[in-house]
Amino acid sequence: MVVVTGATGHVGRPLVTELAAAGARVRAITRTPRCADFPPGVETVCSAAAALPGASAVFLNSRALGQSLADAVARCVAAGVTKLVALSAINVDDDFSRQPSRFRGDRNAEVEQLAVDSGLAWVSLRPTMFATNFSGMWSAQIRAGDVVTGPYAAASNAPIAESDVSAVAARALLTDHLVGQKIGLTGPHALTNVELVQTIGAVLNRPLQYREIPPDEARRRFTTVGFTAEFGEAYLAMLASTVGEPAPVTHNVAKILDRPAITFAQWVSQHRDVFTNPIERRSRHG
């Protein structure tokens, strides 16, 4: 039995599907079990305590587990779980002031260390920024016009498709090939913010442009849309550290899965509706 925490998240949901397709018995933890739309045969529960009896491997999502993270790992040990796969991040070793996800509930350093110290077999996955983050940041601007504004045009990233993270997580949960490794996961190419927007434009056949705004304006924008000031500062610091230096590309996805990692252009093509103007969508369907 494989237990997935954060089962309705960007990685958790495709991971549940991947595991079920591989024939694994899956128990998914979700706050709303009756509303979850999982493949047939997937068990749904609302707590780690209910999920762990009979489990052999557990996928740990620190944001989903929140304050119960350490308790959940202790429960895994007590329940006889033999393997933990932790969802960490590629920048886990950076100063916390450059880890914006911490201010949204991720505890990447803690979940990795708890897994390592558990005495169980462990794998830590360290993905870079998810491709879906760019839809969250830019889709409204792209639906409204052809200019995307944001800080640090030359900042670099190698965004990874969430489905690639889930595919590697499934391999880690179902085999022992990756045990004891901290695995950096990136997309196949490092792209600046300018190049990321140009890639979206090429897929949508639109002349999109990225226009840099001052950091102070970006700070104000973050707080206006509901992010904390601490998140904004950390995000800007993370971006600033990559200006003029290509983001690391690991190629571990291809090595582990024996297939190329999904490119950002492919991800945009798969999710083009996120960026499409609603008026244009309506016109296509009459």
Side-chain angles (χ1 to χ4, degrees):
M1 175 67 71
V2 179
V3 170
V4 177
T5 67
T8 56
H10 292 305
V11 174
R13 186 176 291 278
L15 174 57
V16 168
T17 300
E18 188 105 18
L19 292 168
R25 294 174 59 212
V26 185
R27 195 172 285 152
I29 302 178
T30 171
R31 295 185 184 92
T32 55
R34 293 182 181 179
C35 302
D37 182 22
F38 293 126
V42 173
E43 296 181 38
T44 56
V45 295
C46 58
S47 70
L52 292 176
S56 58
V58 177
F59 179 74
L60 298 172
N61 182 313
S62 64
R63 188 182 300 188
L65 289 167
Q67 297 300 315
S68 66
L69 173 60
D71 179 66
V73 172
R75 286 178 180 271
C76 288
V77 175
V81 171
T82 58
K83 184 191 297 179
L84 300 176
V85 175
L87 181 63
S88 184
I90 200 163
N91 63 346
V92 64
D93 294 326
D94 289 353
D95 188 273
F96 287 168
S97 65
R98 298 196 303 277
Q99 295 190 41
S101 66
R102 290 195 67 82
F103 301 99
R104 301 195 67 192
D106 288 346
R107 292 294 178 265
N108 300 315
E110 292 87 338
V111 71
E112 181 174 280
Q113 198 59 51
L114 284 166
V116 171
D117 293 341
S118 67
L120 310 179
W122 59 270
V123 181
S124 181
L125 304 183
R126 293 178 160 191
T128 188
M129 190 179 292
F130 294 162
T132 194
N133 289 2
F134 293 97
S135 67
M137 290 187 295
W138 295 342
S139 60
Q141 293 189 67
I142 290 170
R143 288 195 297 269
D146 290 336
V147 176
V148 174
T149 59
Y152 300 115
S156 179
N157 209 295
I160 187 167
E162 298 76 23
S163 58
D164 276 348
V165 181
S166 64
V168 172
R171 189 70 58 92
L173 288 160
L174 297 176
T175 76
D176 291 332
H177 302 322
L178 306 177
V179 167
Q181 297 184 47
K182 300 175 181 178
I183 305 170
L185 299 173
T186 74
H189 308 295
L191 302 168
T192 65
N193 280 332
V194 169
E195 291 167 336
L196 288 165
V197 169
Q198 289 174 340
T199 299
I200 298 170
V203 173
L204 301 182
N205 195 27
R206 289 177 54 189
L208 299 183
Q209 300 176 30
Y210 190 90
R211 178 165 60 82
E212 183 172 314
I213 61 174
D216 283 346
E217 184 177 341
R219 288 184 181 92
R220 288 192 296 271
R221 182 181 294 178
F222 280 126
T223 56
T224 299
V225 297
F227 290 104
T228 65
E230 292 82 2
F231 173 88
E233 288 294 339
Y235 185 77
L236 290 170
M238 180 186 71
L239 285 189
S241 70
T242 70
V243 173
E245 182 175 345
V249 176
T250 66
H251 301 297
N252 284 328
V253 170
K255 293 174 186 175
I256 293 167
L257 300 180
D258 296 319
R259 63 159 176 79
I262 295 170
T263 67
F264 186 64
Q266 289 171 325
W267 184 91
V268 173
S269 182
Q270 294 166 0
H271 299 83
R272 60 186 302 129
D273 282 353
V274 173
F275 301 99
T276 302
N277 190 306
I279 295 174
E280 293 178 353
R281 283 207 302 270
R282 286 197 294 270
S283 67
R284 288 197 195 104
H285 296 284

